[in-house]
Amino acid sequence: MIREHPESVVVVMGCYAQTAPGDVLGIEGVDLVLGTQDRMKMLEWLEQVTTERKPQNAVHEIWEAEEFEELPQLSEEHRTRALLKIQEGCNQFCTYCIIPYARGPLRSRLPENALAEARRLVEAGYPEIVLTGIHTGYYGQDLRGELGEEWNLAHLVRELVKIPGLCRLRLSSIEPMEYTPALIESIVSSDKVCPHLHVPLQSGSDRILTRMNRPYTLHEYRDLLERLRQRIPNLAVTTDIIAGFPGETEDDHAATLEFVKACGFSGINVFPYSKRKGTPAANFPDQVSRQLKAQRVKDLLLAARVSQEEYVRYFIGKPVEVLIEWIDSQGCALGYTPHYIQVKIPANEAGRPWTPRHFVTVVLEKGMVGRV
Ligand code: SF4
């Protein structure tokens, strides 16, 4: 790109730029390195760079960041689900994860700003909002005392569901130990909150969880799922698992497969462990070979497929509500149910073309096909 457009001003921003600004600035042709903070000051920096024609490193120590940086929301008219970012950063320091180094400490978006943004999104026609962040379950921890009242995720959810016109609110990833009784109450007390929760597991071995610096045991995790399922029938639980974390033995891997079977997940994201420079796990001596990691990923993906099929089976033959997201080249509509089952609805079943952002109730058939 730099070769093709030698006159352009090249700005590099994001996690890699934040953690290795010197390396990025050393790339010939890079004019400005910005990182993950102060992005609203980009125009000021650009003026300086174009005036001085001298590469600039604008990356600051991320752990000095104290406030959530408000960025203008870009309009994405092709989307049906709007992402509402409510939080940035993480203080957890899992041993494999670069995020605390790249994104800094927990910073919550002010509730009035989050709510105003949500209202704007609903007015713009989004029927569903997905709450996002890095460590969403700790939303509000850094706001305590400052606002004269306690703000946490449970409180924010209670306020969001009051927004007229909002049909669905989906919570993204929330760490297992952060489902407080108040949060569970907020989830169950509104039918706008989707019965789909993402609860990162990472490993089905307590020994590996400790090495990962994950603050829960398998017993606590199972107990949480039971409590959630008692309150939310047919709850969809999705998760993340890392395969081949340093020191993971065959027994640990087998335990993870067993645990997955017992949890009844509706979806699993499987990642092979990958070293992140500067994190403790990158220096653990007992790294797992690439071949072994690939095999374990394969095993877990198979287990994930079986688990998902079992979960979906309950809904076969039953009516489900689908929010249409897009139309394929054959005119079939594709979208998601509140339980995050992707459904394909054949073209012209209702005698007219399907339209994104509309709800339709269909009967779910095998192969996740919906019939009107
Ligand atoms: S995995 Fe999640 S909780 Fe752990 S350090 Fe990374 S962002 Fe934080």
Side-chain angles (χ1 to χ4, degrees):
M1 194 179 84
I2 293 170
R3 268 197 298 274
E4 277 173 28
H5 305 280
E7 292 310 310
S8 59
V9 176
V10 176
V11 182
V12 183
M13 52 205 284
C15 293
Y16 180 56
Q18 181 68 46
T19 51
D23 294 355
V24 175
L25 205 62
I27 300 171
E28 205 187 323
V30 169
D31 297 292
L32 175 62
V33 189
L34 254 182
T36 58
Q37 192 70 9
D38 294 337
R39 288 157 293 187
M40 288 302 285
K41 292 190 185 148
M42 192 199 289
L43 284 181
E44 288 167 37
W45 279 104
L46 280 177
E47 264 177 36
Q48 192 171 330
V49 167
T50 43
T51 315
E52 297 180 11
R53 284 315 285 186
K54 190 169 143 232
Q56 300 284 344
N57 178 0
V59 174
H60 293 137
E61 167 50 50
I62 195 66
W63 276 79
E64 287 169 8
E66 288 178 350
E67 286 177 7
F68 181 92
E69 187 179 29
E70 289 287 338
L71 293 173
Q73 178 91 8
L74 299 175
S75 157
E76 292 186 83
E77 277 161 19
H78 60 284
R79 291 190 73 118
T80 299
R81 279 176 285 147
L83 304 181
L84 176 65
K85 187 166 178 178
I86 58 167
Q87 183 275 331
E88 175 66 279
C90 177
N91 300 357
Q92 171 63 32
F93 287 94
C94 299
T95 56
Y96 53 83
C97 183
I98 194 70
I99 284 178
Y101 308 88
R103 315 296 290 223
L106 280 170
R107 280 104 75 207
S108 303
R109 192 172 195 175
L110 287 172
E112 60 267 32
N113 292 351
L115 290 165
E117 177 83 27
R119 280 186 213 103
R120 268 197 300 277
L121 291 167
V122 172
E123 279 160 21
Y126 290 98
E128 178 172 328
I129 287 180
V130 184
L131 293 189
T132 69
I134 304 285
H135 206 140
T136 323
Y138 274 165
Y139 174 81
Q141 274 210 344
D142 53 319
L143 301 177
R144 278 182 197 164
E146 278 183 31
L147 299 174
E149 59 175 330
E150 189 172 296
W151 272 90
N152 53 30
L153 185 58
H155 190 169
L156 186 67
V157 167
R158 285 199 302 276
E159 294 304 314
L160 283 165
V161 295
K162 290 181 191 162
I163 296 176
L166 175 65
C167 302
R168 283 185 187 174
L169 180 68
R170 199 177 292 275
L171 310 186
S172 60
S173 187
I174 297 177
E175 290 290 320
M177 300 313 285
E178 291 153 24
Y179 286 89
T180 60
L183 177 59
I184 297 175
E185 209 47 54
S186 297
I187 294 170
V188 298
S189 57
S190 169
D191 56 9
K192 289 185 182 180
V193 183
C194 291
H196 162 221
L197 298 171
H198 189 84
V199 192
L201 170 64
Q202 308 303 6
S203 172
S205 154
D206 276 324
R207 199 179 66 81
I208 295 296
L209 288 177
T210 305
R211 281 173 70 95
M212 288 175 161
N213 193 30
R214 302 286 294 167
Y216 51 88
T217 63
L218 296 177
H219 177 77
E220 287 166 327
Y221 189 96
R222 280 295 297 277
D223 179 61
L224 170 69
L225 294 196
E226 269 168 39
R227 281 186 288 122
L228 290 170
R229 285 181 169 135
Q230 273 166 11
R231 301 297 311 277
I232 313 167
N234 306 316
L235 173 71
V237 181
T238 50
T239 197
D240 301 322
I241 296 182
I242 296 174
F245 185 77
E248 185 189 74
T249 62
E250 281 303 320
D251 284 353
D252 294 320
H253 175 57
T256 301
L257 288 170
E258 275 307 302
F259 196 75
V260 161
K261 263 193 217 158
C263 285
F265 293 117
S266 63
I268 306 175
N269 302 319
V270 181
F271 305 96
Y273 168 73
S274 149
K275 276 186 181 182
R276 293 285 177 266
K277 201 174 152 199
T279 60
N283 295 324
F284 287 177
D286 37 11
Q287 301 286 325
V288 173
S289 74
R290 188 188 294 250
Q291 292 93 318
L292 217 46
K293 278 193 271 190
Q295 183 55 51
R296 291 179 185 175
V297 166
K298 232 166 125 185
D299 296 344
L300 282 161
L301 286 175
L302 181 62
R305 210 177 68 215
V306 171
S307 191
Q308 188 199 28
E309 283 169 4
E310 274 172 21
Y311 177 75
V312 170
R313 200 168 299 140
Y314 168 83
F315 295 91
I316 304 286
K318 295 189 172 66
V320 291
E321 180 200 64
V322 179
L323 174 55
I324 297 176
E325 296 211 359
W326 73 100
I327 314 297
D328 73 8
S329 54
Q330 270 87 50
C332 299
L334 289 110
Y336 287 88
T337 70
H339 297 84
Y340 208 58
I341 299 172
Q342 194 193 91
V343 180
K344 184 171 182 171
I345 308 167
N348 295 324
E349 282 279 313
R352 58 187 155 76
W354 298 116
T355 331
R357 294 192 180 182
H358 281 79
F359 289 95
V360 57
T361 299
V362 294
V363 173
L364 192 65
E365 294 183 348
K366 275 192 183 155
M368 299 201 244
V369 171
R371 297 273 172 204
V372 178

